[in-house]
Amino acid sequence: MPTAFPFDKETLRRDARAARAAFVRSLSLDERQALEAALAERTLPFLANARAIGSYVPMGHEIDPAACLSQRTVLLPWFASRDDVMRFRVAVGPLEPGPFGTMQPLADAAEAVPDTLLVPLVAADMHGNRIGQGKGHFDRALAALRAVQPTIAIGLAWDVQILDALPADSWDQRLDAVVTPTRTLTA
């Protein structure tokens, strides 16, 4: 059931992170794996025609997209520095910590452009709006991708992360769908 949060993004982010963390901590390993497998089943139709899938390595209590990506070529965000724009590189072989501490492909991995992007989030709403970590990297990357080619953006979330409505700024990129282990919301 959606939870009402205040409409200040920082307060929303803090409260949504706390709700997500409490939910994930309540799960056994088997329960978490079952929910992530259910998420993968719901996500597969969106990936059927994808030529290049951009994804992410989960941080903290984010839902893990790995089950969605088996036997596919995956592109992960890559940054040369904290001031760099997000680029995507093929995730083959080992990963290394990037400038934000997130795991990313090695610098010599091939760069590529995704046409479908699996997006992490802190909270999302019924209209395809999302709140992320607060630095705008995915919004800027998605805007740049959509400026040159059609790009589908699928937000991945635990059910507890879905709210009735979220504030959206002019630079926020709307998701085409949000997928949870139990439902699919399309914008």
Side-chain angles (χ1 to χ4, degrees), residues 47-64:
L47 305 180
N49 297 319
R51 291 180 311 279
I53 301 169
S55 189
Y56 62 95
V57 175
M59 296 182 346
H61 298 100
E62 291 175 342
I63 197 160
D64 191 342

Side-chain angles (χ1 to χ4, degrees), residues 27-41:
L27 298 173
S28 70
L29 180 58
D30 288 343
E31 289 169 325
R32 182 175 181 149
Q33 289 173 339
L35 290 171
E36 289 173 340
L39 174 91
E41 283 298 314

Side-chain angles (χ1 to χ4, degrees), residues 78-85 87 89 98-99 104:
W78 186 86
F79 295 90
S81 71
R82 290 178 79 84
D83 297 326
D84 197 14
V85 297
R87 291 182 277 172
R89 294 190 183 273
Q104 65 180 29

Side-chain angles (χ1 to χ4, degrees), residues 51 114-116 145-146 148-152:
R51 291 180 311 279
D115 59 9
T116 303
L145 290 168
R146 287 176 168 167
V148 296
Q149 71 179 25
T151 305
I152 297 169

Side-chain angles (χ1 to χ4, degrees), residues 2 17 35 48 56 63-64 73 75 77 85 94 96 103 115 120-121 125 127 133 135 152 155 166-167 175 185:
R17 279 185 183 130
L35 290 171
Y56 62 95
I63 197 160
D64 191 342
T73 300
L75 311 177
V85 297
E96 65 184 359
M103 299 305 285
D115 59 9
L121 52 90
D125 69 15
H127 314 288
Q133 296 295 342
K135 302 294 183 199
I152 297 169
L166 289 173
L175 300 169
L185 307 169

